[in-house]
Amino acid sequence: MQNRRVIIAFGAVIAFMSVLGVEALHAVWGQNRRAEAIYLHPFAVSSAVRRIDMDMISMHHDLRGIGYGQRRKVRDLKRHEADALRQFDLVQSRLPDNPEQVMHARQAFVAWEPLYAHMIDLVRRHAPVAAIDAADSSNDAYLAHMMALMQPVIGIVDAYADTLQAQAR
């Protein structure tokens, strides 16, 4: 008889602990979903915008290398260009209103391609150094223009991340 009570009590404790464990798992999964909503969405977008900036600077560095005759930099330039375009796609797909500033910055980024393609062509044709320098300085000016276009985009993305963080609290 007493053995039976011990077994029933032990079974009740095991059942209670199982219910408590399931409830704890459910709570942890809920916290995980909320954390992913905060970190994967707005922070992925703000990280993407900053990667676009880094890719533009890297492309400019690659152009300098191309100007000095480093042919392998063409491949690096194309890789940075493709990465920046992927990041623009991510920003455009995740921002709710798809602000005009993002589209304008992307259009300006795409419009940079003929400028640097001209410089690459000059280097391949062994053009005079003065022509390559002129193309390089026009790329410098265009990079400054694009960086100025990215500043409002960074502001929009940061404000969006702040809004989502405030909503999560």
Side-chain angles (χ1 to χ4, degrees), residues 104-115:
H104 188 60
R106 183 190 174 102
Q107 290 167 350
F109 180 79
V110 171
W112 189 21
E113 198 270 334
L115 287 173

Side-chain angles (χ1 to χ4, degrees), residues 59 63 77-78 81 107-120 139 142 146:
M59 288 173 66
L63 281 169
L77 179 105
K78 292 297 184 184
E81 177 188 30
Q107 290 167 350
F109 180 79
V110 171
W112 189 21
E113 198 270 334
L115 287 173
Y116 68 73
H118 174 68
M119 182 176 167
I120 293 170
N139 279 311
Y142 202 78
M146 284 190 303

Side-chain angles (χ1 to χ4, degrees), residues 25 29 52 127 158:
L25 281 174
W29 285 334
I52 291 168
D158 287 346

Side-chain angles (χ1 to χ4, degrees), residues 120-134:
I120 293 170
D121 185 52
L122 288 174
V123 170
R124 285 185 176 152
R125 289 187 295 135
H126 303 290
V129 173
I132 294 171
D133 286 344

Side-chain angles (χ1 to χ4, degrees), residues 80-152:
H80 290 298
E81 177 188 30
D83 185 54
L85 289 172
R86 273 193 309 276
Q87 300 307 320
F88 269 116
D89 290 342
L90 184 128
V91 170
Q92 286 181 311
S93 69
R94 293 200 180 176
L95 281 179
D97 298 334
N98 201 0
E100 186 177 317
Q101 291 93 333
V102 177
M103 291 183 279
H104 188 60
R106 183 190 174 102
Q107 290 167 350
F109 180 79
V110 171
W112 189 21
E113 198 270 334
L115 287 173
Y116 68 73
H118 174 68
M119 182 176 167
I120 293 170
D121 185 52
L122 288 174
V123 170
R124 285 185 176 152
R125 289 187 295 135
H126 303 290
V129 173
I132 294 171
D133 286 344
D136 188 41
S137 66
S138 70
N139 279 311
D140 289 348
Y142 202 78
L143 175 68
H145 169 68
M146 284 190 303
M147 296 299 269
L149 287 175
M150 288 302 292
Q151 290 310 308

Side-chain angles (χ1 to χ4, degrees), residues 12-55:
V13 168
I14 294 295
F16 177 73
M17 293 300 286
S18 297
V19 169
L20 190 62
V22 168
E23 181 59 35
L25 281 174
H26 180 69
V28 168
W29 285 334
Q31 289 290 342
N32 185 38
R33 283 192 304 275
R34 283 188 288 281
E36 283 179 0
I38 292 171
Y39 287 104
L40 293 181
H41 190 47
F43 294 133
V45 174
S46 61
S47 294
V49 169
R50 283 161 180 78
R51 282 190 62 180
I52 291 168
D53 269 355
M54 290 176 55
D55 283 330

Side-chain angles (χ1 to χ4, degrees), residues 4-16:
R4 192 174 181 164
R5 285 184 190 169
V6 170
I7 291 173
I8 291 173
F10 186 70
V13 168
I14 294 295
F16 177 73

